[in-house]
Amino acid sequence: MRPPPTRLLAEDMIIEILLKLPVKSLLRFKCVCKFWKTLISSPQFVKAHLNTSRTNMSRQQLVYLAGSEIEINELVMYSVQSLFEHPSAPLKTLSFMVENKYRFIIGSCNGLLCLFGWDGCFKLWNPSTRLISKSSPPTDLFFVPYPDTHYGFGYDHVNDKYKVLVNCGPKETQVHTFGTKFWTTIKTSFCGLYTWTKLGKFVSGTLNWLTWDEDHIISFDVKNETYGEVLLPPQLDGDRCRYNYVLDVLSNCLCLCYSDEVNSVVWLMKKYGIQDSWTKLGLIPDEMVSTMRLLSFHPLCISENGVVLAKSYGSRLIVYNPNSGTF
């Protein structure tokens, strides 16, 4: 008796199914046939898969470097979705060994991590494929004795290039494009970046730092390698005394958080660079924050139903549900 004929799926249906799979499965499926290997390896498929992953919380991960003060040699990942669904359950983690000299994560973009070592060199690492780039040449600014060094990692989508930035003092910035063997020096009109955080936040093709005087945000266009300014919400002028500032990215938007005398406040810039697009996302009563013994409220991720995953000082993770007002 003959077996039933095999039913072939249309090519567009195959692509749609593959786009929904995790990277680990795609790496295995490259062995199915030449067509699948070519498809999964193509830049078009990689970009489409990245865009799908951004809206799929099951693929989002939190990452940190672990180890002692003397030796950091382990990179740990855990699922954001598991934190939302089972916040009180023990975390299931994935761990990877890394070279001990790489002590800092400068940033992440499109599933890649930018690692920084004590030798002044940077590397890109893909935790899904375990692939790692060649080291950048050491930056000259790393060895300059300046206390307020700033860094940033971003993506130039026009030229399909990843770049890392180092600013180590007044009027000078160095930029390295991965795949090249040199650093570019940029003269700036800024007298250094006196900001709340040393790591620039990447969104909409720019890196961003909140200035120390809370007057504006300094931005850096990754493609054009130029500095600019972004204005804060105009309503801040009427707010109470503010402290514990945090600038980050939430739902692919620039996010500004701070505490005043009554609440912890979260703002989102819905359209990058447009001051009027700042939207107040929510208020968390300081009384509730104090009850949880939190010194700050730093949102990391928000679910479709508005539940927020955040961290406080000391890397303490919390889940806040604004619908019920509970932590």
Side-chain angles (χ1 to χ4, degrees):
M1 186 175 180
R2 289 184 177 180
T6 302
R7 292 189 177 184
L8 299 178
L9 295 175
E11 182 177 322
D12 57 346
M13 189 174 294
I14 292 175
I15 295 174
E16 191 67 27
I17 293 172
L18 292 177
L19 285 174
K20 298 180 183 299
L21 298 177
V23 174
K24 188 175 181 179
S25 299
L26 292 175
L27 293 176
R28 295 203 309 268
F29 292 162
K30 288 172 72 173
C31 301
V32 171
C33 62
K34 288 185 178 180
F35 170 70
W36 280 28
K37 181 179 181 180
T38 302
L39 171 65
I40 295 171
S41 303
S42 69
Q44 295 82 4
F45 181 87
V46 172
K47 290 181 179 179
H49 190 264
L50 280 170
N51 291 331
T52 304
S53 301
R54 289 192 182 101
T55 58
N56 189 342
M57 190 164 293
S58 65
R59 297 183 189 172
Q60 296 181 19
Q61 304 280 332
L62 285 181
V63 184
Y64 67 93
L65 287 170
S68 65
E69 294 182 0
I70 300 176
E71 185 176 74
I72 297 178
N73 55 14
E74 188 178 23
L75 191 143
V76 182
M77 302 171 54
Y78 46 93
S79 166
V80 169
Q81 186 176 36
S82 66
L83 289 168
F84 278 113
E85 296 179 350
H86 310 288
S88 300
L91 289 174
K92 294 182 179 179
T93 63
L94 291 174
S95 299
F96 310 98
M97 303 304 293
V98 295
E99 292 181 67
N100 182 47
K101 69 176 181 179
Y102 290 100
R103 309 299 297 272
F104 303 102
I105 299 175
I106 298 301
S108 64
C109 185
N110 295 338
L112 299 178
L113 300 177
C114 181
L115 305 179
F116 180 42
W118 285 124
D119 56 356
C121 298
F122 297 82
K123 271 190 178 183
L124 298 184
W125 190 64
N126 188 328
S128 297
T129 63
R130 316 293 195 272
L131 295 178
I132 193 163
S133 72
K134 294 181 179 179
S135 293
S136 72
T139 169
D140 298 334
L141 298 183
F142 176 68
F143 303 101
V144 177
Y146 187 75
D148 207 27
T149 305
H150 292 77
Y151 306 91
F153 169 60
Y155 176 63
D156 171 6
H157 72 281
V158 175
N159 299 301
D160 193 25
K161 298 292 184 181
Y162 291 91
K163 300 181 181 182
V164 62
L165 168 151
V166 180
N167 174 279
C168 196
K171 301 183 179 180
E172 186 171 279
T173 296
Q174 284 195 342
V175 177
H176 172 70
T177 301
F178 284 94
T180 66
K181 299 180 180 180
F182 56 88
W183 288 82
T184 301
T185 299
I186 300 171
K187 300 295 182 180
T188 75
S189 59
F190 291 100
C191 295
L193 300 179
Y194 298 103
T195 65
W196 278 82
T197 57
K198 293 183 179 297
L199 300 181
K201 305 303 178 182
F202 180 73
V203 64
S204 299
T206 66
L207 291 163
N208 299 268
W209 298 263
L210 178 64
T211 57
W212 185 254
D213 57 9
E214 305 110 33
D215 181 55
H216 62 279
I217 294 168
I218 294 176
S219 70
F220 180 81
D221 187 306
V222 175
K223 173 185 175 294
N224 297 317
E225 299 184 356
T226 55
Y227 281 102
E229 296 182 0
V230 175
L231 297 178
L232 297 177
Q235 297 90 332
L236 289 187
D237 294 337
D239 279 358
R240 307 172 183 87
C241 177
R242 301 182 299 273
Y243 50 94
N244 288 341
Y245 276 91
V246 171
L247 184 71
D248 215 321
V249 177
L250 190 64
S251 298
N252 293 321
C253 296
L254 203 59
C255 173
L256 175 68
C257 311
Y258 58 84
S259 298
D260 58 24
E261 298 168 337
V262 179
N263 302 299
S264 288
V265 186
V266 181
W267 290 83
L268 282 186
M269 188 176 230
K270 295 297 184 67
K271 294 182 179 179
Y272 182 81
I274 308 299
Q275 186 184 26
D276 291 340
S277 72
W278 281 106
T279 303
K280 189 175 288 188
L281 184 64
L283 301 172
I284 304 168
D286 270 357
E287 181 181 354
M288 186 177 296
V289 174
S290 299
T291 301
M292 289 295 295
R293 298 178 183 176
L294 306 177
L295 297 177
S296 69
F297 187 80
H298 180 172
L300 297 173
C301 188
I302 185 169
S303 68
E304 292 182 356
N305 58 357
V307 178
V308 179
L309 173 67
K311 71 174 181 178
S312 180
Y313 286 135
S315 299
R316 183 182 183 188
L317 292 175
I318 53 178
V319 176
Y320 173 64
N321 188 336
N323 304 312
S324 59
T326 56
F327 283 94

